[in-house]
Amino acid sequence: MEIRMVDTISQYQQVQEQIDQAVLDVVRSGIFINGPKVRGFAAEMSEFLDVPHVIPCANGTDALQVALMAMGLEPGDEVITPTFTYVATVEVISLLQLRPVFVEVNPDTFNMDPSSIEEAITEKTKVILPVHLYGQAAEMEAIMAIAKKHNLFVLEDTAQAIGAKYKFSDGREMSAGTIGDIGTTSFYPSKNLGAYGDGGAIFSRNAELGDYLQVICNHGAKKKYYHDNIGVNSRLDAIQAAILSIKLKHLNRYNSSRIAAAKVYDELLSGIQGVKTPVWEDDGSHVFHQYTLKIEAGRAVRDEIKDKLKERGIPSMIYYPIPIHMQGGYTKYGYKEGDFPLSEKLTEQVLSLPMHSELTREQQEFICGNFREIFNELLTKIN
Ligand SMILES: *Cc1c(COP(=O)(O)O)cnc(C)c1O
């Protein structure tokens, strides 16, 4: 049985005719940058997320960088963000000469722990940057309350959670990425809404920020060749926009399939001593970009399971093996091993299983049957 971590090919085959036609239409139109396809996709995304301003850009990392550029920050200003994330979240902070200030995550949800934020706030803090990790909406209500109290920007990294709905305690519901001042996402091919190349987008409810984000993406110019600001070149191309327009119509179904697959994993992997399945609510707040287990025995056992799964043709991934505060490129901020014990422990325990919209129950039974066998063999070896 062939099992892929992400199956972009089967997903393509379902909409092949439409996609092929859309790509050809763009090629024949001769309009490759901006133009009607890109504007159309931005409008569709705006309606889908119920957020007025959507600015497509070149990738999810640019989206984060441009968002921070729009906030009028000064070098040395501080951005509070989890250390347990993908490097892009933090990289842009450093590139802009801002200072990342790390906080812990909740080891059940893998998301920023709001109770750790206030102690990290200083005179220089300007932004809280939560990440909706693995597809699960972060605790936005608490985060927004802290931001309001301290007058801070909130920037949501929604690269992994497009289409997730966050539920407030009063029952209100908002799409992840549209709650803070600015939200960003990525259309990297393996993301829940994946292009066939790079892509990203930035969201805001604020008209002034929305305009400025667009200007920054366009070399700082509102009017062509008049550069009132310093910007960057960050564009979504028309071929990607045309593909994304088609795939956006299926995003709810893609996300539902992922959620259904997560339930099957929960069922097939329940009751294994020493293996924790994800903690989540079945209310649309988790769209399962990843299905991530915790192997409580730690790194050696986790890594061996991964190797043994691979021998049996089952891919798995470690997102992420090292927290950012311990990465070589980030030593200048003075953090050391032991500063974030919960996040450090997670990096030793996490193992993500194949997860995509086309996963079948049969494939999952094969994956989980093999997982149980491998895990039991390792346990008897250890004991
Ligand atoms: C994928 C990802 C990004 C970056 O997106 P790119 O399009 O690859 O630049 C940023 N943050 C997180 C959490 C991601 O998963």
Side-chain angles (χ1 to χ4, degrees), residues 238-250:
I239 290 179
Q240 299 309 332
I243 291 164
L244 288 166
S245 272
I246 292 165
K247 292 186 72 180
L248 178 60
K249 294 187 182 69
H250 301 279

Side-chain angles (χ1 to χ4, degrees), residues 27 58 100 107 112 114 149 204 206 212 232 238 342-343 348 357 361:
V27 174
M112 180 182 241
K149 181 171 157 198
S204 185
N206 179 306
Y212 192 28
V232 297
L342 300 175
S343 298
E348 299 178 356
S357 56
R361 182 165 182 114

Side-chain angles (χ1 to χ4, degrees), residues 59-62 64 85-86 88-89 131 133 157 159-160 186-188 191 198-199 320:
N59 57 66
T61 309
D62 271 12
L64 287 162
T85 183
Y86 180 53
T89 318
V131 182
L133 203 72
D157 183 345
Q160 300 188 1
S186 162
F187 304 122
Y188 185 79
K191 300 286 155 98
D198 274 309
Y320 298 94

Side-chain angles (χ1 to χ4, degrees), residues 298-335:
R299 196 180 293 273
V301 173
R302 189 264 318 265
D303 291 355
E304 199 164 344
I305 295 172
K306 184 177 190 299
D307 291 345
K308 293 247 152 74
L309 283 168
K310 192 175 172 202
E311 283 168 20
R312 299 178 185 211
I314 301 168
S316 62
M317 295 290 280
I318 296 162
Y319 303 114
Y320 298 94
I322 303 175
I324 310 296
H325 74 276
M326 284 164 55
Q327 295 278 3
Y330 295 82
T331 51
K332 69 171 181 179
Y333 300 110
Y335 292 101

Side-chain angles (χ1 to χ4, degrees), residues 17 121 178 317 327 382:
E17 268 178 46
I121 294 175
T178 70
M317 295 290 280
Q327 295 278 3
I382 293 165

Side-chain angles (χ1 to χ4, degrees), residues 192-298:
N192 289 33
L193 179 59
Y196 295 161
D198 274 309
I202 317 170
F203 320 121
S204 185
R205 305 198 158 276
N206 179 306
E208 214 174 306
L209 276 177
D211 280 350
Y212 192 28
L213 290 164
Q214 183 78 68
V215 164
I216 295 170
C217 284
N218 184 29
H219 294 292
K222 187 154 198 150
K223 189 172 153 198
K224 206 165 185 169
Y225 305 123
Y226 291 78
H227 305 275
D228 292 332
N229 299 276
I230 296 175
V232 297
N233 169 23
S234 192
R235 305 184 278 235
L236 181 70
D237 71 71
I239 290 179
Q240 299 309 332
I243 291 164
L244 288 166
S245 272
I246 292 165
K247 292 186 72 180
L248 178 60
K249 294 187 182 69
H250 301 279
L251 180 57
N252 282 333
R253 182 170 61 80
Y254 295 155
N255 282 342
S256 306
S257 301
R258 287 170 178 270
I259 292 166
K263 285 183 195 164
V264 172
Y265 272 139
D266 279 358
E267 175 202 325
L268 297 176
L269 293 169
S270 72
I272 307 179
Q273 198 76 29
V275 177
K276 284 263 179 312
T277 57
V279 174
W280 62 291
E281 298 269 351
D282 186 13
D283 61 358
S285 62
H286 198 330
V287 291
F288 285 95
H289 177 59
Q290 300 298 341
Y291 184 90
T292 303
L293 298 172
K294 284 191 285 183
I295 312 297
E296 291 180 323

